[in-house]
């Protein structure tokens, strides 16, 4: 049977089950220029597979050969969509860009999957975008008023329209003209007939790295993608930088006024793969130092340190090493619970935490347990884990968060609840401890997190990182939010009545 579902209201709470307490990042991007004959799409598919943790909802690739573009966009995982041996035949060419996503702006529909493609007067262009635009609704309304016709509800399509409407003559100048009008956090990889263009937002909120595989150039969200495809890391794309790659090689432009970089701290706390190096820092090393700092700030007498897998593992190792308390795998994570395994009732959904995270009774029974998680969002998952650990015989449970309390929502690409749904923004430490049913509760301080970054003390006037989810200090203006909260005309949230099958 064919079910038709109208596009939902654009609001972050619509994309997840009410019991889902997992932070999700926006997307991962990968592009290759100059690969061996017809190999680009296969290389990009491998790169996207390495970036699968950045988005497991949908994926797409666009390749180009002889000025002809080949695009495929699919719901589901990269391996399912692009794992076939005929990929080079389906998507030939020496250049390709790809994208894997969660829906943070726009719904879970095929028309919102990237790369997004448009035919301009200068030829085709495919755009893969990682991040969120904070003036998306403002720009979209303006563009629609000027006659633009949108085919998706994704903020990424705004970039295509801005490129198309630019009066500049050359495609690179049109691209720069377009990104000069967008605000927020973003990393972009674009493919034209003859060039690959990469760009990073002026603050470097979202990551983008540059590599080489043989004579081919690679752009990707993280270094783990370079490692997977056998590419050599060259450097990070700098904040506010535009790189252009074509038959002449690579050139770099800095078209906007210089600003101090402020990369996103949550790339280190949670999102990036532990084996990635982001902005010159080993993610694994940062997370271990977070755990060490947590042990110094919130030590407790206990028998065993247990991580909430997988993202809590490096911090738990650091905590155990600093405290001298033995580290054990007290919770076993199932890696085979697909996103399609959805329980139909609330009662069965509440058991889902034991399907994903199973307590190891032989480690926990009779023990005083320090439970280490990377962060605490709503607290709904945490309380289920605590109950499961106690049910496995733990004598005491001391919960520790390797990041500071999350107090404010994000608007740069993290699918984070509004403030009234964040437990730390609405309860005192004692109230949280009581709600989470733990014997003690501790969070790494913001100074402790900066120390783990080895960046020196936080500069309150010009913070070294994007840390608004902890401090409330947003690094850019939030135009769409300001319009809404200022009582002016509300940004258009119901973006389309088009029905998707």
């Amino acid at each position: 049977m064919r079910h038709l579902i109208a596009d939902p209201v654009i609001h972050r709470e619509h994309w997840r089950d009410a019991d889902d307490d997992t932070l999700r990042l926006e997307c991962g991007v990968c592009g290759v220029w100059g690969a061996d004959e017809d190999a680009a799409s296969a290389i990009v598919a491998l790169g996207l597979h390495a970036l699968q943790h950045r988005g497991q909802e949908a994926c797409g690739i666009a390749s180009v050969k002889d000025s002809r573009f080949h695009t495929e966009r699919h719901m589901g995982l990269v391996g399912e969509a692009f794992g076939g041996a005929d990929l080079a035949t389906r998507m030939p060419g020496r250049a390709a860009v790809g994208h894997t996503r969660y829906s943070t702006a726009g719904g879970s529909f095929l028309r919102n999957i990237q790369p997004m493609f448009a035919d301009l007067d200068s030829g085709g262009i495919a755009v893969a975008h990682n991040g969120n635009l904070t003036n998306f609704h403002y720009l979209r309304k303006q563009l629609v008023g000027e006659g633009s016709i949108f085919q998706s509800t994704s903020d990424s399509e705004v970039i295509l329209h801005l490129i198309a409407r630019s009066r500049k003559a050359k495609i690179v100048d049109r691209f720069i003209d377009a990104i000069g009008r967008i605000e927020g956090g973003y990393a972009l990889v674009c493919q034209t007939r003859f060039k690959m263009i990469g760009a990073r937002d002026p603050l470097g909120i979202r990551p983008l790295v540059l590599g080489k595989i043989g004579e081919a150039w690679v752009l990707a969200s993280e270094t783990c993608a370079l490692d997977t495809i056998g590419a050599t890391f060259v450097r990070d794309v700098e904040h506010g930088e535009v790189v252009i790659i074509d038959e002449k090689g690579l050139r770099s432009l800095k078209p906007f006024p210089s600003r101090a970089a402020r990369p996103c701290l949550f790339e280190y706390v949670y999102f990036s793969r532990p084996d990635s190096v982001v902005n010159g820092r080993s993610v694994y090393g940062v997370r271990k130092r977070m755990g060490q700092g947590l042990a110094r700030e919130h030590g407790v007498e206990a028998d065993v340190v247990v991580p909430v897998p997988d993202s809590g593992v490096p911090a738990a190792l650091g905590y155990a090493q600093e405290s001298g308390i033995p580290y054990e795998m007290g919770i076993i994570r199932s890696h085979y619970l697909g996103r399609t395994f959805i329980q139909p009732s609330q009662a069965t959904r509440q058991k889902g935490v034991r399907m994903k995270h199973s307590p190891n009774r032989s480690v926990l029974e009779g023990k005083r347990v320090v439970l280490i998680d990377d962060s605490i969002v709503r607290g709904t998952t945490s309380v289920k884990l605590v109950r499961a650990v106690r049910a496995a015989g733990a004598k005491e449970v001391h919960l520790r968060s390797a990041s500071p309390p999350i107090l404010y929502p994000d608007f740069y690409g993290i699918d984070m609840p509004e403030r009234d749904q964040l437990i730390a923004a609405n309860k005192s430490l004692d109230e949280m401890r009581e709600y989470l049913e733990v014997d003690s509760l501790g969070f790494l301080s913001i100074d402790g997190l900066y120390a783990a970054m080895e960046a020196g003390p936080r500069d309150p006037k010009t913070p070294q990182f994007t840390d608004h989810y902890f401090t409330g200090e947003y690094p850019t203006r939030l135009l769409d939010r300001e319009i809404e909260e200022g009582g002016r005309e509300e940004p258009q949230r119901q973006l389309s009545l088009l029905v998707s099958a």
Side-chain angles (χ1 to χ4, degrees):
M1 182 180 290
R2 197 163 167 263
H3 299 277
L4 300 181
I5 305 172
D7 280 356
V9 173
I10 303 301
H11 192 282
R12 58 177 46 83
E13 295 302 308
H14 287 266
W15 314 131
R16 59 164 81 225
D17 188 287
D19 294 329
D20 186 355
D21 198 29
T22 304
L23 292 176
R24 294 173 179 164
L25 191 57
E26 61 302 321
C27 317
V29 296
C30 184
V32 174
W33 173 270
D36 292 339
E37 191 67 24
D38 294 339
S41 57
I43 295 172
V44 166
L46 285 173
L48 292 179
H49 191 273
L51 298 169
Q52 189 78 86
H53 59 287
R54 299 182 73 89
Q56 301 175 32
E57 183 177 87
C59 54
I61 294 176
S63 69
V64 61
K65 182 175 183 178
D66 299 328
S67 299
R68 183 175 183 178
F69 281 81
H70 306 262
T71 67
E72 286 189 19
R73 300 185 294 169
H74 301 273
M75 300 298 294
L77 301 176
V78 175
E80 297 168 353
F82 298 112
D86 63 340
L87 183 59
T89 303
R90 287 156 37 202
M91 308 192 71
R94 302 181 63 216
V97 295
H99 189 271
T100 185
R101 82 186 293 261
Y102 280 123
S103 57
T104 55
S108 305
F109 302 112
L110 194 63
R111 62 198 174 102
N112 285 332
I113 301 172
Q114 299 180 43
M116 292 195 166
F117 176 80
D119 231 341
L120 311 182
D121 55 359
S122 57
I125 183 171
V127 175
H129 167 214
N130 168 21
N132 265 16
L133 307 185
T134 55
N135 62 341
F136 161 48
H137 295 282
Y138 174 83
L139 288 174
R140 188 182 191 279
K141 181 179 179 182
Q142 190 177 72
L143 288 164
V144 169
E146 295 171 354
S148 291
I149 300 172
F150 279 75
Q151 298 297 317
S152 77
T153 56
S154 169
D155 60 348
S156 308
E157 192 178 0
V158 162
I159 300 166
L160 277 178
H161 283 278
L162 291 174
I163 294 171
R165 297 178 72 86
S166 172
R167 297 187 179 274
K168 303 290 185 181
K170 296 180 179 180
I171 188 64
V172 172
D173 294 331
R174 296 172 77 166
F175 177 84
I176 291 171
D177 194 28
I179 64 174
R181 296 183 61 186
I182 64 178
E183 299 173 8
Y186 59 84
L188 295 168
V189 180
C190 303
Q191 182 67 61
T192 73
R193 290 180 299 168
F194 306 117
K195 301 179 190 296
M196 184 167 71
I197 307 171
R200 200 171 170 196
D201 66 78
L203 296 177
I205 296 172
R206 300 269 70 91
L208 189 65
V209 298
L210 179 68
K212 289 200 79 174
I213 177 169
E215 295 303 312
W217 290 96
V218 182
L219 288 167
S221 292
E222 293 182 36
T223 58
C224 64
L226 303 182
D227 296 336
T228 296
I229 65 177
T232 302
F233 171 76
V234 175
R235 63 177 177 86
D236 290 286
V237 175
E238 296 180 16
H239 58 289
E241 182 182 16
V242 175
V243 294
I244 303 101
I245 301 166
D246 56 23
E247 294 297 339
K248 297 178 182 178
L250 180 141
R251 61 189 174 107
S252 169
L253 300 176
K254 295 284 189 70
F256 307 114
S258 177
R259 302 174 66 182
R262 289 186 64 178
C264 175
L265 276 176
F266 250 105
E267 290 287 346
Y268 301 92
V269 170
Y270 180 78
F271 292 121
S272 294
R273 241 172 60 167
D275 55 330
S276 284
V277 176
V278 178
N279 302 304
R281 293 177 174 86
S282 161
V283 174
Y284 179 78
V286 170
R287 290 179 185 169
K288 277 193 70 177
R289 290 192 294 273
M290 287 160 55
Q292 290 166 346
L294 189 59
R296 290 190 292 269
E297 292 183 359
H298 297 286
V300 65
E301 291 188 7
D303 303 307
V304 64
V305 174
V306 171
V308 176
D310 290 322
S311 54
V313 169
L317 282 168
Y319 192 103
Q321 290 175 3
E322 183 70 21
S323 66
I325 301 171
Y327 169 94
E328 296 287 352
M329 294 300 293
I331 298 174
I332 308 302
R333 181 188 174 192
S334 170
H335 292 266
Y336 307 103
L337 187 64
R339 297 186 72 243
T340 55
F341 196 99
I342 300 172
Q343 293 295 332
S345 71
Q346 175 70 12
T348 51
R349 281 202 307 271
Q350 287 177 343
K351 297 177 181 177
V353 69
R354 296 203 185 194
M355 297 169 60
K356 185 176 181 182
H357 293 114
S358 301
N360 185 352
R361 180 176 289 273
S362 65
V363 167
L364 301 171
E365 192 166 19
K367 301 292 179 58
R368 298 170 297 174
V369 177
V370 183
L371 190 60
I372 308 290
D373 208 347
D374 57 85
S375 57
I376 300 173
V377 188
R378 288 184 178 91
T380 51
T381 297
S382 298
V383 71
K384 293 174 187 176
L385 280 170
V386 169
R387 289 173 180 171
V389 169
R390 287 197 186 279
K395 186 165 60 175
E396 296 176 8
V397 181
H398 303 274
L399 183 58
R400 299 291 183 266
S401 168
S403 72
I406 299 174
L407 301 172
Y408 299 91
D410 179 80
F411 302 98
Y412 303 100
I414 303 173
D415 185 14
M416 190 179 287
E418 294 285 355
R419 195 158 193 249
D420 61 0
Q421 296 296 313
L422 297 170
I423 185 173
N426 294 278
K427 296 181 184 292
S428 68
L429 190 66
D430 283 341
E431 288 171 337
M432 284 190 282
R433 180 187 54 77
E434 184 176 347
Y435 172 83
L436 295 169
E437 301 175 9
V438 292
D439 295 279
S440 71
L441 176 64
F443 293 84
L444 183 66
S445 67
I446 188 72
D447 289 335
L449 180 52
Y450 269 71
M453 296 293 295
E454 296 183 326
R458 182 181 188 269
D459 184 343
K461 293 182 180 179
T462 55
Q464 301 94 309
F465 298 96
T466 289
D467 59 11
H468 53 275
Y469 17 73
F470 307 130
T471 65
E473 297 179 24
Y474 291 88
T476 73
R477 70 171 182 168
L478 305 173
L479 182 58
D480 289 340
R481 193 79 168 182
E482 290 168 7
I483 291 173
E484 180 180 355
E485 293 180 347
R488 289 181 279 168
E489 186 174 348
E490 184 173 346
Q492 195 176 10
R493 290 192 178 275
Q494 179 66 45
L495 292 181
S496 176
L497 296 177
L498 179 65
V499 173
S500 295

